[in-house]
């Protein structure tokens, strides 16, 4: 069965042709990151207008690269949530219209479930498994008991992991999207240490940053870490300003104990001349990765799973992958993740996931609407 997949949930426009859920014939992604970089984040109105401008060329290219014709396609699938309403609307409307015009079955796909369902994987998933969904909008630890059977173990109480990467990258002046920018800056910092014959691991704890363990839960929180980074950066700036203006007393800001702690850290580092964006990025990345990896390992142990699956844009992070491997290998737990290009938004995963649903006879009517706030269809937690 040949499925045309369409993805337009945020700032990427994707079209892909996938045969039998696993054989990729073409996968085209037009990214808007350069446009949104200017604003330091995605501007929803701009994103949906750009989706409109790119969807047809992206579809035409995907069809051309696959070497297929409309008559070869057996079904069309498009993301219907979660995401930005205006962006989702473009891909979903185009998908439904093409299905109507070519008299083909249509399926709306829950973008979050594409990885969690594990059907893209070579080899059978080992249920129950733990799936860590980490993207620009989600940080969820999910127990997957079988295809489509999800139990929510924990989620972020404030910022999503990817959102924290994006916001901290903005604070550090590293641009958008923040995840790859922070990863690269951290890698550079580690390379520099290696060249100085020092352990690259020193970069990761160059600045001691807070970790929200929220013990006894599988919830996450990244806003405290993000705020610590902000105060640290403010401390640096204040210190620099106090050097410029002779009237300044050189002391960091004093608006509360926690604020002061990280402001002082920033100011002191600036005074010592040891402030370094790469080391800051590496320390932030380490604080985020440590909490994600340790909590995932604890959940895997508690629920006696034999496999952990990563999903979402942050799953592309090399440090996270490495740390999780280190946590899980001694326990004989397999770690699976999609290739890097399939971690962020793409239509190949949509077409692949759709195939397995279509095989089960599932299909949507053309009245299917976008669901920007769609989540995984969680079941109530059942006894272990
Ligand atoms: O799943 P995704 O493509 O889209 C939505 O959330 O819509 O995830 C995008 C997020 C962004 O926050 C981006 O900064 C983050 O994934 N990301 C990364 C990396 N690559 C992308 N975060 C950390 N490390 C990376 N290498």
């Amino acid at each position: 069965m040949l499925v045309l997949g369409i993805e337009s949930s945020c700032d990427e426009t994707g079209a892909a042709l996938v045969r039998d859920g696993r054989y990729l014939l073409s996968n085209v992604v037009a990214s808007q990151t350069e446009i949104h970089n200017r604003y330091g984040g995605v501007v929803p109105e701009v994103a949906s207008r750009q989706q409109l401008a790119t969807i047809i060329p992206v579809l035409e290219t995907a069809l051309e690269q696959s070497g297929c014709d409309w008559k070869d396609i057996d079904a069309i699938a498009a993301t219907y949530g979660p995401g930005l309403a205006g962006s989702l609307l473009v891909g979903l409307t185009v998908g439904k219209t093409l299905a109507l015009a070519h008299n083909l079955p249509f399926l709306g796909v829950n973008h979050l479930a594409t990885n969690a369902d594990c059907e893209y994987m070579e080899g059978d998933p080992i249920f129950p498994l733990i799936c860590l969904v980490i993207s620009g909008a989600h940080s969820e630890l999910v127990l997957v008991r079988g295809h489509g059977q999800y139990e929510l173990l924990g989620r972020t109480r404030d910022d999503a992991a990817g959102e924290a990467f994006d916001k901290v990258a903005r604070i550090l002046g590293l641009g958008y999207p923040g995840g790859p920018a922070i990863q690269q800056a951290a890698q550079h910092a580690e390379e520099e240490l290696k060249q100085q014959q020092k352990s690259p691991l020193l970069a990761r704890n160059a600045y001691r940053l807070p970790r929200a363990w929220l013990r006894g839960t599988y919830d996450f929180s990244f806003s405290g870490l993000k705020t610590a980074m902000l105060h640290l950066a403010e401390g640096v700036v204040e210190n620099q300003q106090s050097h410029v203006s002779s009237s300044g007393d050189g002391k960091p800001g004093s608006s509360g104990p926690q604020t002061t702690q990280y402001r002082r850290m920033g100011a002191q580092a600036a005074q010592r001349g040891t402030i370094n964006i790469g080391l800051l990025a590496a320390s932030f990345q380490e604080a985020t990765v440590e909490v994600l990896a340790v909590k995932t390992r604890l959940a895997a142990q508690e629920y006696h799973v034999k496999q952990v699956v990563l999903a979402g844009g942050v799953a592309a992070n090399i440090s996270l992958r490495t740390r999780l491997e280190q946590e899980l290998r001694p326990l004989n737990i397999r770690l699976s993740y999609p290739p890097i290009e399939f971690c962020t938004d793409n239509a190949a995963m949509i077409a692949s996931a759709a195939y397995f649903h279509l095989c089960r006879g599932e299909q949507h009517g053309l009245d299917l609407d976008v669901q920007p706030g769609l989540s995984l269809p969680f079941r109530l937690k059942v006894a272990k």
Side-chain angles (χ1 to χ4, degrees):
M1 183 194 295
L2 182 63
V3 180
L4 166 65
I6 299 172
E7 153 62 33
S8 72
S9 60
C10 188
D11 60 339
E12 261 105 20
T13 317
L17 281 126
V18 179
R19 195 179 293 288
D20 297 337
R22 292 215 164 92
Y23 305 102
L24 187 64
L25 304 192
S26 65
N27 182 36
V28 178
V29 181
S31 173
Q32 305 176 14
T33 47
E34 274 184 30
I35 297 170
H36 298 288
N37 198 352
R38 244 178 279 161
Y39 309 103
V42 177
V43 182
E45 182 61 25
V46 175
S48 52
R49 282 171 191 271
Q50 198 57 31
Q51 292 283 1
L52 266 181
T54 43
I55 188 97
I56 301 298
V58 164
L59 272 165
E60 284 173 347
T61 313
L63 205 59
E64 196 183 307
Q65 287 183 359
S66 72
C68 297
D69 206 336
W70 278 107
K71 64 176 175 3
D72 303 317
I73 297 174
D74 299 300
I76 297 179
T79 311
Y80 74 108
L84 300 173
S87 289
L88 285 165
L89 205 54
V90 175
L92 185 67
T93 308
V94 168
K96 290 192 298 186
T97 309
L98 288 170
L100 179 68
H102 295 279
N103 196 22
L104 290 169
F106 176 78
L107 188 90
V109 175
N110 179 340
H111 165 64
L112 278 182
T114 53
N115 289 10
D117 269 343
C118 311
E119 288 170 302
Y120 67 93
M121 289 190 316
E122 280 176 22
D124 289 333
I126 316 166
F127 294 121
L129 55 82
I130 296 285
C131 181
L132 176 65
V133 184
I134 31 174
S135 68
H138 294 265
S139 297
E140 283 158 8
L141 206 47
V142 182
L143 178 67
V144 186
R145 290 201 183 265
H147 291 301
Q149 296 174 32
Y150 315 110
E151 283 168 37
L152 182 65
L153 301 181
R155 59 166 32 138
T156 181
R157 295 188 184 176
D158 37 59
D159 291 350
E163 188 182 358
F165 269 96
D166 293 336
K167 287 179 177 168
V168 167
R170 205 180 316 163
I171 292 169
L172 298 180
L174 291 172
Y176 173 86
I182 286 187
Q183 176 171 290
Q184 203 184 17
Q187 275 167 349
H188 277 149
E190 293 191 9
E191 281 303 320
E192 269 177 25
L193 284 172
K194 263 196 234 167
Q195 281 165 12
Q196 296 162 18
Q197 315 289 329
K198 291 183 187 157
S199 164
L201 301 184
L202 289 174
R204 302 181 189 178
N205 289 303
Y207 300 90
R208 191 69 208 152
L209 296 169
R211 276 98 165 130
W213 289 109
L214 305 174
R215 290 188 201 281
T217 76
Y218 289 117
D219 283 350
F220 302 106
S221 165
F222 298 106
S223 72
L225 173 60
K226 176 196 69 189
T227 307
M229 292 295 289
L230 181 67
H231 290 159
L232 216 150
E234 283 171 354
V236 173
V237 173
E238 279 169 9
N239 180 269
Q240 284 162 351
Q241 283 170 351
S242 74
H243 276 287
V244 175
S245 122
S246 54
S247 60
D249 60 5
K251 287 188 188 143
S254 54
S255 39
Q258 277 158 342
T259 310
T260 312
Q261 181 190 347
Y262 291 102
R263 277 218 163 97
R264 197 185 300 124
M265 195 195 264
Q268 286 168 348
Q271 264 161 15
R272 288 194 304 268
T274 54
I275 201 74
N276 176 310
I277 298 293
L279 293 179
L280 276 168
S283 304
F284 163 78
Q285 181 172 261
E286 175 68 7
T288 312
V289 160
E290 186 179 328
V291 174
L292 288 170
V294 170
K295 293 203 118 179
T296 304
R297 192 250 301 150
L298 288 173
Q301 284 178 294
E302 183 177 350
Y303 289 90
H304 306 290
V305 304
K306 288 277 156 238
Q307 187 170 22
V308 166
V309 174
L310 292 182
V314 185
N317 189 276
I318 308 288
S319 250
L320 176 67
R321 291 175 171 204
T322 312
R323 177 66 191 259
L324 263 171
E325 293 274 8
Q326 286 164 356
E327 295 280 338
L328 300 175
R329 201 180 305 120
L331 301 169
N332 231 352
I333 298 173
R334 189 202 294 174
L335 177 66
S336 307
Y337 39 75
I340 297 230
E341 66 270 29
F342 296 141
C343 286
T344 43
D345 296 344
N346 69 88
M349 296 295 276
I350 302 300
S352 171
Y355 165 78
F356 296 97
H357 288 275
L358 290 159
C359 285
R360 293 195 279 267
E362 295 169 33
Q363 197 175 318
H364 281 117
L366 297 184
D367 56 349
L368 180 73
D369 203 355
V370 296
Q371 287 193 32
L374 192 65
S375 70
L376 286 173
F378 291 119
R379 293 175 169 199
L380 284 180
K381 213 158 139 182
V382 292
K384 273 176 261 166

